[in-house]
Amino acid sequence: MNTDDINLAYKIRHALNENLEALPASTTDRLAAARAAALARKKPDAAPAKAVRRPLFDVNALFTGPALARLGVAIPMLALVIGMGGVYQYEQQQRVAALADIDAAVLADELPLTAYLDHGFNAYVESQQRQQ
């Protein structure tokens, strides 16, 4: 409720209370009887619910319908992420190994001098690796 609604409720209550004494006795008796009947039909107040301690990890909740649906999406996504990470690591290892072979060949001076001046140096090194 915003402030305007609260102010309107206070104004209505004040207007009803002003004319309360001007009501005839028969009206006040009927209002009292209606209030008593309403109170008789009222449901008893429920006791406040006690706090239920749930375990930190509920295994039975994993096998409910919504949880299985979430797992049905999460497990393939997790497998995809792990698989893509594995492919990335494999490619990086292959690249590092290729660069290490090039560095080893350069340091061992097994390359002719023209290989250092050639623009296709990487192509030359790769062709040499294929021949071995």
Side-chain angles (χ1 to χ4, degrees):
M1 289 181 80
N2 59 23
T3 309
D4 293 335
D5 292 340
I6 293 172
N7 287 337
L8 177 64
Y10 283 132
K11 287 178 184 177
I12 291 172
R13 186 183 73 181
H14 181 68
L16 289 173
N17 285 339
E18 278 182 356
N19 293 326
L20 183 63
E21 295 172 10
L23 288 176
S26 63
T27 305
T28 55
D29 291 340
R30 282 195 334 243
L31 286 173
R35 183 175 191 277
L39 287 175
R41 285 192 303 260
K42 180 183 175 246
K43 294 179 183 177
D45 291 335
K50 292 183 179 180
V52 177
R53 288 191 61 145
R54 288 192 274 173
L56 184 63
F57 184 72
D58 189 9
V59 177
N60 292 333
L62 285 177
F63 299 110
T64 61
L68 285 177
R70 285 190 297 268
L71 284 177
V73 171
I75 289 173
M77 294 289 280
L78 183 63
L80 178 68
V81 168
I82 290 171
M84 292 195 57
V87 168
Y88 175 77
Q89 288 296 324
Y90 176 76
E91 292 295 327
Q92 289 297 322
Q93 290 297 324
Q94 294 298 320
R95 184 170 179 252
V96 168
L99 289 174
D101 290 341
I102 292 171
D103 290 343
V106 169
L107 291 174
D109 283 334
E110 295 175 1
L111 296 174
L113 291 176
T114 57
Y116 294 109
L117 300 174
D118 188 11
H119 293 293
F121 177 67
N122 288 333
Y124 174 77
V125 172
E126 288 179 7
S127 67
Q128 292 295 322
Q129 288 176 349
R130 287 188 201 124
Q131 288 176 0
Q132 294 176 355

